Amino acid sequence: MSPSTSALILVSAVLLLSSATTSAYNVTLILEKYPDYTEFNNLLSKTGVADEINRRQTITVFALSNGHFGDISSKKDDVQKRIISTHVVLDYYDVTKLKQYNTSKGPLTTLFQTYGQAKGQQGFLNVVVKEGEVFLSSAVKGASMDTKVESSVASQPYNISILSISSPIVAPGIDGALSPASAKQPNAPSPAGEGPAAAEGPKQEEASAPGPEGDGGATADGSSELSPNANSAAVKQVMSGFGLIAAAASFVAGL
């Protein structure tokens, strides 16, 4: 076999590995199907948060419909990115799973926490379930608990869940204009035993249980499932890609 043919095999193996590690979803393409979320989708792309979402395998996005942005659009670009990244949780949650959320696990970890810019609990969200409704807030002490999870927009168990919320979640101090002490008190206090977890030392999120394979149709919360879980297939493709690369490299070295 000629050197040029060997090189072609090696390039093909690299391309195979690259395709195997591609995300199982594209949040921008998903939201393009829903005109009510055009502004939110544009903001995800503008800030680069969409690319960061697409590089992950398991994610929940709390999306704002058009006209529910408050004053986010008037803030500086870097502040917009900080705020939007707190609307992205590093685990899969649909409405049903949130309603069963156990506060003893601690607050939810957001994408903003990974930036290394969060002060105190700015990178975490608290969850309160009150009379069958789910409310969210920043885990910063004194943050307002008035953002309600309204419905599921789209989901692909157990990779991505997009949930509609009633108002922005803005951590006190995240825009440099507020301090945690000046934040207003929660508007929707939780009943005993269901309040936000203590701010210090959030526990690590437990991994989501894998869903049933070949599970199509509607999800548990009534949203439409986009496609089956692609994690196991992607892992097999990655291992296959590494095997091809190793074999091609060994062959080229022997020429």
Side-chain angles (χ1 to χ4, degrees), residues 111-131:
L111 184 62
F112 182 55
Q113 181 64 21
T114 68
Y115 293 170
Q117 301 174 358
K119 298 180 180 179
Q121 299 297 296
Q122 289 178 339
F124 302 96
L125 298 181
N126 280 334
V127 179
V128 167
V129 180
K130 182 178 176 65
E131 297 180 355

Side-chain angles (χ1 to χ4, degrees), residues 24-37:
Y25 54 81
N26 185 310
V27 66
T28 302
L29 294 180
I30 294 173
L31 285 173
E32 281 181 354
K33 301 176 183 178
Y34 303 93
D36 289 344
Y37 298 89

Side-chain angles (χ1 to χ4, degrees), residues 75-233:
K75 297 183 182 297
K76 296 180 179 179
D77 290 350
D78 61 329
V79 175
Q80 290 180 0
K81 181 172 183 177
R82 289 179 226 158
I83 294 174
I84 290 302
S85 65
T86 62
H87 290 64
V88 181
V89 169
L90 307 183
D91 199 352
Y92 179 90
Y93 287 92
D94 53 25
V95 174
T96 300
K97 187 176 177 182
L98 280 176
K99 286 183 177 180
Q100 299 170 347
Y101 187 76
N102 185 349
T103 56
S104 66
K105 294 171 60 178
L108 306 179
T109 304
T110 72
L111 184 62
F112 182 55
Q113 181 64 21
T114 68
Y115 293 170
Q117 301 174 358
K119 298 180 180 179
Q121 299 297 296
Q122 289 178 339
F124 302 96
L125 298 181
N126 280 334
V127 179
V128 167
V129 180
K130 182 178 176 65
E131 297 180 355
E133 303 287 355
V134 180
F135 295 88
L136 304 171
S137 77
S138 168
V140 175
K141 184 178 180 180
S144 179
M145 179 69 74
D146 54 7
T147 295
K148 179 181 175 182
V149 177
E150 296 184 324
S151 62
S152 175
V153 179
S155 65
Q156 180 178 308
Y158 289 85
N159 296 131
I160 183 170
S161 174
I162 303 177
L163 303 176
S164 178
I165 57 176
S166 62
S167 59
I169 308 167
V170 181
I174 200 170
D175 59 357
L178 300 173
S179 63
S182 66
K184 59 181 179 179
Q185 294 300 311
N187 293 334
S190 60
E194 291 188 349
E200 63 273 10
K203 299 180 181 178
Q204 183 66 33
E205 291 287 334
E206 295 178 5
S208 302
E213 297 184 3
D215 184 17
T219 59
D221 64 334
S223 63
S224 60
E225 180 178 331
L226 301 177
S227 67
N229 186 6
N231 286 342
S232 60

